[in-house]
Amino acid sequence: MPGGVSSPVRAFRSVGGQPIVFDRVKGAYAWDVDGNRFIDYIGSWGPAICGHAHPEVIAALQDALEKGTSFGAPSELENQLAEMVIDAVPSVEMVRFVNSGTEACMSVLRLMRAFTGRDKLIKFEGCYHGHADMFLVKAGSGVATLGLPDSPGVPRSTTSNTLTAPYNDLEAVKELFAENPDAISGVILEPVVGNAGFMTPEPGFLEGLRELTREHGALLVFDEVMSGFRISYGGAQARFGVTPDLTTMGKVIGGGLPVGAYGGRAEIMEMVAPAGPMYQAGTLSGNPLAMTAGIKTLELLKQEGTYERLESTTERLINGILEAAKAAEVPITGNSIGAMFGFFLCEGPVRNFEDAKATDTELFGKLHRAMLERGIYLAPSAFEAGFTSLAHSEADIETTLKAFRESFAAVA
Ligand SMILES: *Cc1c(COP(=O)(O)O)cnc(C)c1O
């Protein structure tokens, strides 16, 4: 396997050392093949928001397994999860299930183009929308970590329609619209960024994009593959009160199985085959195991007090991390929303990917190793968000903060 992994960010290229090989996961923990236990802040890169291998998810999956792993035909489970997604996510009136976030994003781009009859799109530096050719321009963590500004194999002709702007920079977006009249199909972004480190939208940014896209007959697309069901049950759009035209989802809605989805205004979604002419399909899409894990996960998340708990766990963690760094006189800036957090080892504020590059990646590598030695598994990149779950207890957070205090002191 290239680099010994099935997905590049799993390798430890940017922090040094060898990746940990896992044997099993449960709750907030992961065990490696040597039996060492780690408190896990990656959560399979997002899906494990209820904790790994939640007993109710596992039980539901065992029942579903007995009924078969794939139907290749409609099932009630798809309707059930579709209804839950439509109820939860403000922009979604109609939804199509796919198998990954990448697939959701590449399909949504086709839809943006089909609906508007325009080819160009605007994305933001540092935002990741999966690995489809059109999006591999200034695409954040995985690419940043490897130091590849672009990927070989992506034809210029494919990315020539991809325009980029700095995150949180409305003026730059205005200029792109002015320079490309009637040519831009829409604007896609992570409403809260998790793939260039963790960055939040400044007041007015999302609202401004909503106005600009409307004014220019373009679509606004929130890529909520990471933020969906994580920073609130209705995602960033519910949290910030800005409703895009289309939304992509993944990670949490699959409950640990491969799922992606895209949805939005019915008028636009009616373009998708077989309702409309825009082709998009998938042999295993909406398969019963993935739908079951998604349904059970959303049921668990929907319970009273879930997000308050996730939020307070995450706030305690990030506040403790900031304090630990300050005590060791390590420059740091960071924050959290919902069950997502992040920090940069530099003076803030970090408003965009250019600012984020000031983070001390070498120091982060040392910190990462020191934390691993103390049984804490952080994302092996200075440009990734961290994830908490309902399974992270107060004791886990205390253990983690003690490790941060020791590690910051050791690497400072
Ligand atoms: C993870 C991610 C994707 C890609 O999803 P995959 O399931 O890995 O293909 C797309 N967009 C965002 C914002 C993501 O975080």
Side-chain angles (χ1 to χ4, degrees):
M1 294 182 291
V5 291
S6 298
S7 189
V9 276
R10 295 179 196 173
F12 278 28
R13 290 286 167 92
S14 73
V15 292
Q18 295 294 322
I20 311 269
V21 179
F22 284 168
D23 176 52
R24 69 195 167 94
V25 289
K26 184 80 184 168
Y29 310 126
W31 285 264
D32 70 11
V33 288
D34 298 318
N36 299 304
R37 194 193 81 170
F38 298 88
I39 303 178
D40 178 19
Y41 290 99
I42 305 183
S44 188
W45 300 93
I49 192 167
C50 297
H52 288 294
H54 190 286
E56 288 185 43
V57 176
I58 299 291
L61 279 173
Q62 277 164 342
D63 288 344
L65 195 53
E66 292 295 325
K67 294 175 150 189
T69 58
S70 179
F71 301 158
S75 76
E76 283 182 18
L77 295 164
E78 292 166 277
N79 286 279
Q80 217 178 319
L81 186 57
E83 214 168 287
M84 295 178 92
V85 171
I86 289 164
D87 279 350
V89 186
S91 66
V92 179
E93 296 171 356
M94 210 180 239
V95 64
R96 165 62 57 87
F97 292 112
V98 294
N99 302 294
S100 70
T102 293
E103 223 186 301
C105 292
M106 60 187 269
S107 306
V108 96
L109 175 56
R110 187 177 301 147
L111 181 56
M112 288 159 74
R113 289 168 161 171
F115 185 76
T116 60
R118 301 171 178 181
D119 285 345
K120 291 187 194 294
L121 82 147
I122 298 177
K123 78 176 282 290
F124 293 91
E125 292 161 15
C127 282
Y128 180 64
H129 305 296
H131 66 80
D133 284 0
M134 311 72 76
F135 293 120
L136 280 187
V137 182
K138 302 184 178 172
S141 59
V143 186
T145 302
L146 290 172
L148 303 173
D150 278 311
S151 170
V154 176
R156 255 175 186 279
S157 54
T158 313
T159 53
S160 62
N161 284 317
T162 308
L163 311 171
T164 61
Y167 194 74
N168 274 326
D169 189 344
L170 268 184
E171 279 310 310
V173 178
K174 258 184 214 162
E175 277 169 33
L176 288 175
F177 272 114
E179 287 162 10
N180 300 273
D182 301 325
I184 295 171
S185 63
V187 175
I188 186 169
L189 77 158
E190 293 178 68
V192 171
V193 181
N195 286 289
F198 178 72
M199 303 189 298
T200 56
E202 290 183 337
F205 180 57
L206 299 177
E207 292 83 351
L209 292 177
R210 181 63 283 184
E211 268 173 42
L212 270 177
T213 44
R214 242 185 221 133
E215 197 180 303
H216 291 278
L219 300 173
L220 179 63
V221 184
F222 280 5
D223 179 353
E224 299 231 41
V225 171
M226 191 181 275
S227 58
F229 299 94
R230 178 161 284 279
I231 68 171
S232 85
Y233 190 68
Q237 52 198 274
R239 178 109 185 191
F240 291 101
V242 176
T243 307
D245 300 294
L246 293 166
T247 300
T248 55
M249 291 157 279
K251 296 186 172 127
V252 170
I253 56 159
L257 273 84
V259 182
Y262 63 102
R265 265 165 46 209
E267 172 204 7
I268 308 172
M269 290 301 291
E270 291 277 10
M271 293 282 298
V272 179
M278 191 214 88
Y279 194 70
Q280 186 270 309
T283 301
L284 293 174
S285 294
N287 96 79
L289 288 181
M291 296 296 104
T292 298
I295 291 164
K296 188 44 87 176
T297 300
L298 296 199
E299 277 174 8
L300 290 166
L301 288 175
K302 222 176 161 179
Q303 290 169 5
E304 194 63 31
T306 303
Y307 287 89
E308 288 79 357
R309 219 178 104 204
L310 286 168
E311 184 112 19
S312 71
T313 302
T314 317
E315 273 176 9
R316 259 186 68 201
L317 177 66
I318 190 66
N319 289 338
I321 294 172
L322 299 180
E323 274 168 31
K326 278 170 193 150
E329 295 180 8
V330 172
I332 193 166
T333 178
N335 59 358
S336 69
I337 302 186
M340 211 170 150
F341 69 94
F343 58 86
F344 296 100
L345 299 179
C346 59
E347 303 291 346
V350 172
R351 301 175 58 238
N352 56 45
F353 196 36
E354 219 28 60
D355 294 347
K357 287 178 188 164
T359 195
D360 188 336
T361 51
E362 203 181 311
L363 189 64
F364 181 83
K366 289 180 189 161
L367 179 73
H368 188 268
R369 279 192 292 284
M371 292 297 285
L372 265 187
E373 283 165 17
R374 290 166 177 81
I376 312 295
Y377 191 71
L378 303 172
S381 163
F383 300 103
E384 292 289 348
F387 302 120
T388 51
S389 79
L390 290 169
H392 286 81
S393 67
E394 292 201 4
D396 291 327
I397 300 298
E398 279 318 306
T399 305
T400 305
L401 291 178
K402 180 169 178 284
F404 265 111
R405 286 190 291 270
E406 292 173 7
S407 299
F408 273 121
V411 304

